[in-house]
Amino acid sequence: MFGDDFGQVGHRSTGGNSVLKRKTFIQLLLLLWASKGIPESSKKQAKVLVIGAGISGLGAARELQKNGFEVVVLEARSRIGGRIHTFQDWGYPMDLGASWIHGTQQNPITRLAKEADLHLMETDYESLQFFSKGKEFGFLSKVLSAKEFQSLEDEMENFASKLNKDVSLRELFEKFRENLNAERKPLIEWLFLTHESNLAESLDKVSAISFFQEAELFSGEDAIFEKGYEGITNFLSQGLDIRLNEIVTIIQSTNKDVLVTTSKGKFTADYCLITIPLGVLKKGSIKFSPELSTNKKEAITRLNMGVLNKLYAEYDEPFWDKSTVSLGIGPEKQDFRFFLNYLPFFGKSTLVGFLPGDFGRDAERLSDAGLKEMLTKRLRHEIGKPIPIPKRVYLTRWNSDPFSFGSYSYFPVGSTGKDMLALGEKEGRLYFAGEHTSPKYYGYVHGGFLSGLRATNEILQKR
């Protein structure tokens, strides 16, 4: 999901029950955008302030400007992109936030990549080298095949549909596991770890019912960017008036206009589109006057922000199979599970580890030396040989980032898609977008982008 897209390995469940009207509306948005864009208006020019220069804000600002609006984007960071951030200091692209296009067919991000002439590299998840307790298990093709995964997902979804009340995904896994034979039980363990990385949170906190009812996917392979995800946000930002280092503190709205106060000044507009992450909304970093509706505030409380940090570890030489796409290690500990091998993509002896939930949060307190020690000890235990210490490491720290406070949203036990829809509802002259307002595509870059198109259409209807 950002997301991750941040580093999700494999796919999230397709979900059996969908909200038909909302799905149809999203398809209509895509159709309009892919053909001639959102319809232009001949009415007089109005001004829109867009808060946040992430995928939602940039996508919306681009369409609004095309439709004759005067648009100013206010961004708290010293860069654009939000949770899309390509780090280049090591001499090759390192996507610290979103990494993948998940499902390239009919995905709006794929279309943007083509428009921007960005080269994509597909990810073969079946190219896996797996170690546990000093033994290499190779590909485990029978156990880890996509067909087996999907079959198990479908059975679990059917099992979840019979629940009388919401439970955590962990509890669902444990109950479902009781009915499996000995050959299939290892698969459920692997599936458990996969979903924990995908959802950026411990599964004892995640809603089982909402997980299976809400999520949808685009078809096709997953792909990463040859030169980094920043190519998308750089493309979207062209020609926009973007003000960096503008930390929004107060948003005041009346029946006539909106006044936004930042760390550097004040801005007035006819409308305001707010695309700040859920983590920032939960922290209350921005004061709203009048206050947000009770419905929206309750939804902010019920939903939560997961954490999926990445640890980049660069070595002089690879100790793993040079051609494998990913490296997996034993599932008995709730820490490292998967590593992306940078060699097939960028020709670098670098592994990218994914640190979900509390493991990712706790790791943010470690120094580089501490991270090297933790990683090396874990790998030596599972691989069973004296592998070298990495020459340098880089850890993302999304949980402590004051402009995100996490990686992307998830459904805690007791929350539903209605909460995310509530977060996206307009209030007077205030409009809202972001992956956390997209119950079908939460956590994904395309979810954030589509939410921006949805909000743009709402503004056009009211002008």
Side-chain angles (χ1 to χ4, degrees):
M1 309 183 145
F2 246 78
D4 151 316
D5 286 317
F6 264 59
Q8 301 171 2
V9 181
H11 291 292
R12 200 161 61 191
S13 166
T14 57
N17 300 318
S18 63
V19 181
L20 182 59
K21 289 184 179 179
R22 181 163 182 79
K23 185 175 181 181
T24 302
F25 177 66
I26 289 174
Q27 290 173 338
L28 178 61
L29 278 178
L30 282 171
L31 180 62
L32 289 170
W33 176 64
S35 56
K36 296 181 180 179
I38 293 175
E40 295 186 4
S41 171
S42 60
K43 294 184 179 180
K44 69 176 183 179
Q45 187 181 58
K47 183 175 182 179
V48 180
L49 290 173
V50 176
I51 312 301
I55 191 70
S56 306
L58 292 175
R62 183 175 184 242
E63 291 300 319
L64 288 166
Q65 187 163 282
K66 283 182 181 179
N67 279 271
F69 284 86
E70 178 187 353
V71 181
V72 175
V73 182
L74 302 178
E75 169 55 49
R77 301 178 189 275
S78 59
R79 60 171 179 82
I80 66 168
R83 286 166 284 169
I84 294 175
H85 184 198
T86 305
F87 181 77
Q88 301 279 7
D89 288 14
W90 284 11
Y92 49 92
M94 297 160 55
D95 279 316
L96 306 184
S99 294
W100 277 273
I101 297 178
H102 285 282
T104 51
Q105 293 183 15
Q106 298 183 327
N107 193 312
I109 308 303
T110 306
R111 182 175 183 272
L112 285 174
K114 290 179 180 178
E115 284 187 45
D117 196 25
L118 302 175
H119 183 248
L120 303 176
M121 300 181 290
E122 292 186 351
T123 305
D124 179 9
Y125 294 118
E126 294 187 353
S127 176
L128 170 70
Q129 188 179 19
F130 181 76
F131 294 89
S132 182
K133 298 179 180 179
K135 297 180 181 180
E136 181 177 356
F137 288 82
F139 167 38
L140 299 176
S141 58
K142 183 177 179 180
V143 179
L144 300 177
S145 70
K147 184 178 179 180
E148 285 291 329
F149 264 120
Q150 190 57 55
S151 175
L152 199 62
E153 287 273 19
D154 292 343
E155 292 174 36
M156 283 187 62
E157 183 177 347
N158 182 59
F159 187 77
S161 68
K162 299 175 182 178
L163 292 173
N164 295 321
K165 65 175 183 177
D166 198 9
V167 298
S168 71
L169 264 181
R170 181 185 294 274
E171 186 175 345
L172 177 71
F173 268 91
E174 294 300 329
K175 289 181 178 179
F176 181 72
R177 187 178 185 277
E178 295 172 1
N179 301 318
L180 297 179
N181 59 37
E183 288 186 358
R184 302 190 78 198
K185 283 186 177 180
L187 178 59
I188 197 68
E189 301 297 334
W190 189 265
L191 194 63
F192 181 94
L193 295 177
T194 300
H195 281 315
E196 199 154 74
S197 290
N198 286 355
L199 294 167
E201 193 54 270
S202 171
L203 296 192
D204 57 8
K205 300 178 182 179
V206 179
S207 164
I209 290 180
S210 292
F211 173 78
F212 284 107
Q213 286 184 345
E214 299 299 341
E216 290 183 0
L217 296 170
F218 286 101
S219 58
E221 300 299 322
D222 291 359
I224 61 177
F225 290 82
E226 181 181 38
K227 295 184 179 180
Y229 224 126
E230 68 177 4
I232 291 292
T233 48
N234 288 342
F235 174 72
L236 289 175
S237 69
Q238 293 174 8
L240 295 178
D241 182 356
I242 302 173
R243 315 289 178 89
L244 300 177
N245 300 304
E246 295 280 2
I247 302 172
V248 174
T249 56
I250 304 172
I251 299 176
Q252 298 168 277
S253 59
T254 69
N255 60 352
K256 294 182 179 180
D257 58 17
V258 180
L259 174 64
V260 174
T261 303
T262 75
S263 54
K264 296 168 66 176
K266 296 181 184 293
F267 298 82
T268 304
D270 298 287
Y271 308 101
C272 182
L273 172 56
I274 299 158
T275 71
I276 60 176
L278 173 63
V280 178
L281 288 172
K282 291 183 73 68
K283 283 288 184 179
S285 304
I286 297 175
K287 178 183 177 182
F288 290 87
S289 178
E291 291 187 359
L292 296 176
S293 66
T294 299
N295 192 35
K296 196 178 292 288
K297 288 192 292 186
E298 289 178 348
I300 291 171
T301 299
R302 279 191 292 267
L303 295 169
N304 218 333
M305 200 75 164
V307 173
L308 184 62
N309 279 320
K310 295 180 183 178
L311 178 63
Y312 284 81
E314 186 181 83
Y315 296 84
D316 290 318
E317 297 290 338
F319 56 83
W320 59 91
D321 183 343
K322 295 180 181 180
S323 63
T324 190
V325 168
S326 54
L327 181 71
I329 60 175
E332 69 274 5
K333 290 193 69 175
Q334 300 298 307
D335 53 18
F336 293 106
R337 285 90 162 182
F338 304 101
F339 298 86
L340 179 68
N341 176 19
Y342 250 40
L343 270 169
F345 301 104
F346 304 105
K348 301 296 180 180
S349 298
T350 298
L351 292 177
V352 187
F354 304 99
L355 293 72
D358 288 338
F359 176 51
R361 294 182 182 95
D362 293 342
E364 293 189 15
R365 296 193 290 267
L366 297 178
S367 65
D368 283 359
L371 290 166
K372 288 180 181 180
E373 180 182 1
M374 176 180 66
L375 174 64
T376 304
K377 182 178 180 180
R378 185 79 169 93
L379 288 175
R380 285 176 178 174
H381 173 73
E382 298 297 344
I383 295 176
K385 61 181 182 181
I387 64 169
I389 296 172
K391 63 180 183 180
R392 57 180 173 178
V393 295
Y394 187 100
L395 178 73
T396 63
R397 289 176 166 83
W398 290 105
N399 187 60
S400 54
D401 186 317
F403 304 125
S404 64
F405 293 111
S407 300
Y408 45 83
S409 60
Y410 72 92
F411 287 107
V413 176
S415 62
T416 70
K418 291 181 180 179
D419 292 316
M420 288 194 176
L421 292 177
L423 291 186
E425 291 176 354
K426 67 179 290 290
E427 298 197 356
R429 292 178 174 270
L430 304 184
Y431 295 79
F432 298 83
E435 54 84 18
H436 56 282
T437 70
S438 178
K440 296 301 175 187
Y441 303 122
Y442 65 95
Y444 289 114
V445 173
H446 54 258
F449 180 74
L450 287 171
S451 75
L453 296 187
R454 183 259 306 154
T456 297
N457 188 64
E458 292 171 355
I459 294 173
L460 288 173
Q461 298 303 315
K462 292 296 183 180
R463 183 168 66 170

